[in-house]
Amino acid sequence: MRRWASCLARVLVPHRPRHYSAPAPSKLPPDPFALLAPQLAELRQSLLSLLDSGHPRLGEITRYYFLHPSKQIRPIIVLLFSRATNGLGRHWEHKLWEAQTNGAGGCADELDWPLTRPDILNDWNPSKPTSTSSFDSSLFALRPRAPHRPSPPHRQAHRTTNEPKLYDPEYILPTQKRLAQIVEMMHTASLLHDDVIDESTLRRGQPSAPAAFGSKFSILAGNFVLGRASAALSRLGDAEVTDLIASILSNLVEGEILQTRAVETGGEAKPTEALGEHSKIQDAWNIYLQKTYLKTASLMAKGARAAVTLGGCKEGDIWREIAYAYGRNLGIAFQLVDDILDYDSAAAALGKPGGADLQLGLTTGPALYAWEEHPDMGALISRKFEGPGDVEKARDLVARSSALQRTRELAQNYADKAKEVLEQLPESDAKSALEALADRVIRRKS
């Protein structure tokens, strides 16, 4: 099996003496959820205000998944990387100036203001009556030109010492906080759509949105959340971040399509009959890992990179590469564990139907490892477990193999690689929490 982790070239950066005094080492690493508890509570509350609509039913549906507890791992990654790297980027001073200067576009209140006249957007949000508007049937009137934003101060000369220095190990820019909300909105929108596609009846221990509101409203609600997330994204004022986050939408769709691909085909250019069993399994692993990146790891990797970019890191700053590599490896580890739990846990523990992957005809890591040990699994995979007794036989083959243990070992390898790339970050509680988060991903039971 070709393991994608080996494709990540390890990048080195010249030695830079650090000015920030690292905290004294402690016996236990900080709990990432406890470390960010106040920020997460604040973000969740203010996020709900972004989702209100002039149509009460739509507002109810879009809030539905946000009101039930989630793992929040995606916003946690964004917030931790913000704290772990703010001050290290070459453009940090400019980003900080934007956050502290009224009218510069980076203050918290300004992130709610539209870039276009509200009466042109016609996107009414009852929670934001001063910055949104609904359709007005009166004649459209011209308005005077709005004042220009203040000009940034002249950039200081490049640092005479190549020394990175954390600004404040607890400080997070308003734009980074909003980014954390945006990635959670995109994730939740994908769940609304996934639960329709998969005909899922349970989510987070509660009836799924399609079960509670119907498929049509669930699809519309997912689209609405993506619309609000896109508007919020545009107001962050960073073209590269917009490019990164927008590409996640394409990745999610491509991953969903790839998931439907017949595993045994081996690609259009290679006829199935010409492939040996080993080649088929290798091709199936490549498809599976690519799908895993597109559907799960992409959001974590690009969200982390976007957070560091908003902190003033640009091309040539190693911190962006570290953030992306961490999120990519952690995301794949997260999904591998998820696929183990689908075989190994009951619905009550998962908060969603157990054994759903086989019922949907999906081939995941445990099934692929079982195929390596039991060739009979290949025929089940080929017909997507649709034959009589296929699901039960597949579960039995997985149970009689070392598939679950090998999948967990692969997940551990990706988690270890995620921690390894953090070594070049300055010491901080946020860095330690990122390491602890990788360990928690492997240990999780739901």
Side-chain angles (χ1 to χ4, degrees):
M1 183 192 72
R2 178 168 62 96
R3 301 194 177 185
W4 287 17
S6 63
C7 297
L8 289 174
R10 189 172 183 185
V11 284
L12 300 176
V13 64
H15 172 69
R16 295 176 174 183
R18 294 170 184 143
H19 286 219
Y20 168 65
S21 297
S26 57
K27 294 182 179 179
L28 295 175
D31 181 334
F33 296 87
L35 187 68
L36 294 172
Q39 290 90 341
L40 290 172
E42 174 193 347
L43 292 183
R44 177 168 292 275
Q45 187 59 41
S46 59
L47 185 152
L48 294 176
S49 69
L50 298 175
L51 299 172
D52 273 348
S53 165
H55 302 280
R57 182 70 167 173
L58 182 57
E60 180 185 5
I61 300 172
T62 56
R63 287 167 163 255
Y64 184 66
Y65 282 166
F66 291 102
L67 291 174
H68 296 110
S70 71
K71 300 177 183 70
Q72 300 188 88
I73 187 171
R74 293 153 192 86
I76 282 176
I77 291 172
V78 168
L79 297 177
L80 287 177
F81 263 105
S82 299
R83 289 176 58 159
T85 60
N86 278 348
L88 304 182
R90 288 172 292 168
H91 297 265
W92 165 252
E93 290 80 5
H94 179 72
K95 293 293 186 179
L96 183 62
W97 173 84
E98 288 181 335
Q100 297 177 342
T101 304
N102 289 330
C107 297
D109 292 343
E110 294 172 342
L111 296 178
D112 289 333
W113 285 90
L115 305 178
T116 302
R117 286 173 51 173
D119 56 340
I120 291 177
L121 296 177
N122 290 319
D123 182 17
W124 173 241
N125 184 341
S127 294
K128 300 185 180 300
T130 60
S131 58
T132 63
S133 177
S134 58
F135 178 74
D136 186 348
S137 59
S138 62
L139 295 176
F140 186 79
L142 299 179
R143 290 185 181 177
R145 181 181 301 174
H148 290 292
R149 286 184 173 182
S151 300
H154 292 294
R155 288 187 57 190
Q156 297 178 355
H158 285 292
R159 296 168 179 157
T160 55
T161 63
N162 292 321
E163 301 170 349
K165 181 181 179 182
L166 289 178
Y167 172 73
D168 180 333
E170 296 185 2
Y171 183 74
I172 303 173
L173 293 168
T175 51
Q176 292 168 327
K177 294 179 181 179
R178 179 53 51 89
L179 174 66
Q181 294 175 321
I182 290 169
V183 297
E184 186 71 354
M185 291 167 74
M186 294 181 69
H187 170 60
T188 302
S190 74
L191 297 183
L192 285 162
H193 290 162
D194 280 352
D195 284 348
V196 173
I197 295 170
D198 299 340
E199 299 180 349
S200 179
T201 59
L202 198 64
R203 172 68 65 180
R204 296 173 183 167
Q206 301 291 329
S208 67
F213 302 101
S215 295
K216 179 178 179 179
F217 275 110
S218 297
I219 293 171
L220 293 174
N223 293 343
F224 179 80
V225 173
L226 288 176
R228 285 287 171 83
S230 298
L233 177 63
S234 70
R235 296 167 192 170
L236 296 181
D238 192 298
E240 183 178 356
V241 169
T242 300
D243 189 33
L244 276 170
I245 303 303
S247 71
I248 295 170
L249 288 177
S250 300
N251 291 159
L252 289 170
V253 175
E254 290 170 338
E256 189 65 39
I257 297 297
L258 188 61
Q259 186 167 263
T260 67
R261 177 176 170 179
V263 169
E264 80 284 10
T265 60
E268 293 78 0
K270 296 184 290 184
T272 304
E273 57 270 19
L275 294 174
E277 194 77 359
H278 177 74
S279 297
K280 290 182 184 180
I281 295 174
Q282 181 176 340
D283 184 71
W285 269 108
N286 291 338
I287 294 172
Y288 167 67
L289 290 175
Q290 183 184 5
K291 181 272 300 179
T292 297
Y293 168 77
L294 292 170
K295 287 200 65 178
T296 303
S298 171
L299 181 53
M300 297 184 189
K302 293 178 180 178
R305 186 180 177 95
V308 175
T309 300
L310 286 174
C313 293
K314 299 297 180 183
E315 192 64 37
D317 285 325
I318 193 65
W319 322 113
R320 301 191 314 163
E321 312 305 324
I322 291 172
Y324 178 83
Y326 175 90
R328 184 183 186 277
N329 287 316
L330 188 73
I332 294 176
F334 182 93
Q335 187 59 52
L336 286 166
V337 173
D338 219 47
D339 294 340
I340 294 170
L341 296 176
D342 193 66
Y343 282 88
D344 210 25
S345 298
L350 289 176
K352 57 185 178 181
D357 289 339
L358 288 175
Q359 297 288 346
L360 293 169
L362 303 181
T363 302
T364 58
L368 293 176
Y369 274 131
W371 186 10
E372 293 181 8
E373 299 178 31
H374 298 286
D376 289 351
M377 180 67 89
L380 307 182
I381 291 172
S382 177
R383 56 179 180 261
K384 297 188 175 182
F385 314 106
E386 292 178 349
D390 278 3
V391 170
E392 292 74 17
K393 185 175 181 180
R395 293 184 69 88
D396 179 63
L397 291 175
V398 168
R400 289 193 290 113
S401 71
S402 60
L404 295 180
Q405 178 60 32
R406 293 173 71 188
T407 306
R408 189 169 294 280
E409 290 171 358
L410 180 59
Q412 184 68 62
N413 288 340
Y414 276 103
D416 290 343
K417 178 61 69 173
K419 292 192 292 184
E420 180 183 325
V421 300
L422 296 174
E423 292 176 359
Q424 298 177 66
L425 288 178
E427 296 300 325
S428 68
D429 281 344
K431 174 184 175 180
S432 298
L434 285 166
E435 294 170 339
L437 184 62
D439 293 330
R440 287 182 66 128
V441 161
I442 296 301
R443 296 195 308 266
R444 70 189 182 94
K445 301 299 182 182
S446 65

